[in-house]
Amino acid sequence: MDLFKMFSKSDNSKDIAKERLKLVLIHDRANVSPQFLEMIKSEIIGVISDYMEIDEAGLEIKLTRTKRDVDDTSVPALVANIPIKKMKDNGKF
Amino acid sequence: MGEVIVITSGKGGVGKTTTTANIGTGFSLEGKSTVLVDADIGLRNLDVVMGLENRIVYDLVDVVDGVCRLRQALIKDKRYSNLYLLPAAQTKDKNAVTPQQMQELTSELAKEFDYVIVDCPAGIEQGFKNAIAGANKAIVVTTPEVSAVRDADRIIGLLEANGLRNPQLVINRLRVDMVKRGDMMNIDDMIDILAIELLGVVPDDEHIIVSTNRGEPAVTNNDSIAGQAYRNIVKRILGEDVPFMNLESDQGFMSKLAKMFGFGKKK
């Protein structure tokens, strides 16, 4: 059984359920709406665009969970993935 | 002074009323004086699950409105010792009672009974607020489905915000065959997500339907695996250290053989 599992990635429906639940609960618990995330996203774009050219379409921002280094408890984290096209000169001194 | 326990879930249809009936009857079997309070005003059902629907004269709203005394509204279940039901009103709505009134009512009952078990309605509105108002302990019922677990998580947050710390979890209608094929979240998955203490796991069991048909809680049936699960839950609430049931009993011949020789999966 485990041999089979090694070759195929898990497609058990319960794993899908668990993953979906974890994500939806992060939003439920933090009381964060998608609109709220959009607001953060556009402000981040605004700030970073002063210093570098970024791929706005490829920008991804989400709430997830991460383990705290100090005691391994799970805490919510805001993760942003911002692809940079190129640096702007006016950001340099 | 007795303990007031609210049975809640957020989502409807996960087995709050069945759990209330079984835990309450289980307390009575353990010799504890117990009163079941149906807080689902307008949609009462604890009376039919308990098989006491024909004996209702007064209800909870009558007591609160002063139409009758508390004693008069309590229905004694003659099959068991020291088990009573305070039925909900069927024709009123949730706003017929306030949290303040519920608090007074349950504390009055707690003076006379070892356990006051409150069956909470589904939802998070007035009925929920009423049901939890007088409770000093909460049990959250869920099933291994995304919608039920999500609602349970919300309820846990609301309970804690209302001062009911450390609610305990009952996982209802677990299907061992589906868990084994990876098509149902297992106990660890749900504890991992909800991060609360597990009180018990009730396997999916046809006896529950049959016993509800008859109006006799499954906890009294020694052949029912769900009944056994409820008996264990009652013992755990009473402070006994009861191990969780081995739900692998329907396993195949080979794994049984393996277990006999000590090669069994650890769990």
Side-chain angles (χ1 to χ4, degrees):
Chain A
M1 191 63 187
D2 289 334
L3 243 172
F4 286 115
K5 273 186 188 159
M6 272 165 59
F7 293 109
S8 66
K9 70 174 201 301
S10 165
D11 58 350
N12 282 340
S13 69
K14 77 112 173 170
D15 291 328
I16 300 168
K18 198 178 171 187
E19 276 316 302
R20 290 177 58 222
L21 251 174
K22 277 186 168 172
L23 275 176
V24 82
L25 289 185
I26 288 164
H27 288 263
D28 285 1
R29 287 172 185 168
N31 214 351
V32 171
S33 66
Q35 292 94 311
F36 182 84
L37 278 181
E38 276 307 309
M39 278 162 59
I40 298 180
K41 188 170 160 179
S42 64
E43 292 212 20
I44 287 179
I45 292 174
V47 171
I48 295 182
S49 296
D50 287 345
Y51 302 93
M52 48 191 90
E53 217 174 281
I54 59 175
D55 174 13
E56 289 188 25
L59 188 147
E60 214 185 8
I61 177 164
K62 63 177 180 183
L63 265 174
T64 176
R65 245 194 224 252
T66 186
K67 287 245 158 66
R68 234 174 14 186
D69 289 338
V70 276
D71 55 3
D72 247 23
T73 53
S74 187
V75 289
L78 186 68
V79 174
N81 194 347
I82 309 166
I84 300 167
K85 282 184 180 161
K86 70 173 202 214
M87 305 300 286
K88 282 185 180 172
D89 289 336
N90 59 1
K92 292 176 187 160
F93 289 98
Chain B
M1 202 56 183
E3 198 166 34
V4 181
I5 304 175
V6 63
I7 314 284
T8 182
S9 71
K11 188 177 179 299
V14 297
K16 282 180 298 298
T17 303
T18 306
T19 299
T20 305
N22 280 287
I23 290 181
T25 308
F27 275 134
S28 159
L29 296 176
E30 291 283 337
K32 302 290 177 191
S33 65
T34 306
V35 60
L36 308 176
V37 178
D38 191 347
D40 200 348
I41 295 162
L43 287 169
R44 77 170 169 220
N45 267 323
L46 189 53
D47 54 337
V48 280
V49 173
M50 290 297 296
L52 296 171
E53 67 274 18
N54 293 326
R55 301 200 25 226
I56 297 175
V57 182
Y58 296 112
D59 58 50
L60 190 152
V61 176
D62 291 329
V63 176
V64 167
D65 289 348
V67 175
C68 68
R69 281 175 293 114
L70 179 53
R71 266 281 156 198
Q72 291 176 290
L74 294 181
I75 301 165
K76 179 171 169 43
D77 192 326
K78 292 168 183 159
R79 296 164 296 180
Y80 317 105
S81 64
N82 257 326
L83 181 63
Y84 291 80
L85 169 71
L86 178 58
Q90 181 70 332
T91 51
K92 311 270 178 23
D93 70 54
K94 321 263 185 223
N95 302 316
V97 184
T98 66
Q100 174 69 30
Q101 288 169 324
M102 277 299 284
Q103 202 171 354
E104 287 163 12
L105 181 77
T106 49
S107 76
E108 198 62 37
L109 289 167
K111 284 179 195 159
E112 292 190 41
F113 292 91
D114 295 329
Y115 286 96
V116 181
I117 321 273
V118 183
D119 184 18
C120 179
I124 53 173
E125 291 86 20
Q126 183 70 31
F128 169 74
K129 288 174 188 151
N130 285 342
I132 66 167
N136 38 46
K137 183 186 168 104
I139 294 173
V140 176
V141 183
T142 191
T143 58
E145 291 156 72
V146 283
S147 49
V149 176
R150 182 191 198 178
D151 289 1
D153 187 80
R154 185 106 167 79
I155 284 295
I156 291 163
L158 288 170
L159 288 170
E160 289 180 342
N162 282 280
L164 278 164
R165 311 243 162 244
N166 306 321
Q168 291 178 304
L169 186 69
V170 169
I171 298 171
N172 196 18
R173 290 210 288 265
L174 190 83
R175 284 188 50 184
V176 181
D177 55 330
M178 290 190 72
V179 169
K180 275 186 191 160
R181 3 178 245 274
D183 275 332
M184 182 175 268
M185 283 182 282
N186 63 34
I187 300 162
D188 293 340
D189 290 333
M190 288 196 278
I191 295 300
D192 181 29
I193 289 171
L194 294 174
I196 67 170
E197 190 191 337
L198 182 65
L199 178 63
V201 180
V202 183
D204 195 37
D205 181 2
E206 287 185 6
H207 280 107
I208 290 289
I209 311 270
V210 176
S211 71
T212 308
N213 289 344
R214 297 185 197 279
E216 297 162 356
V219 72
T220 61
N221 182 346
N222 286 322
D223 297 330
S224 162
I225 186 169
Q228 179 62 49
Y230 280 121
R231 286 193 289 279
N232 289 351
I233 287 171
V234 166
K235 290 201 170 86
R236 286 186 201 112
I237 299 173
L238 292 174
E240 271 182 58
D241 186 16
V242 186
F244 288 100
M245 268 197 284
N246 176 21
L247 295 173
E248 308 262 319
S249 52
D250 60 340
Q251 60 203 334
F253 173 69
M254 283 310 286
S255 60
K256 263 185 191 155
L257 204 68
K259 200 165 235 170
M260 258 167 63
F261 290 101
F263 305 124
K265 276 182 289 185
K266 49 181 185 305
K267 178 79 192 181

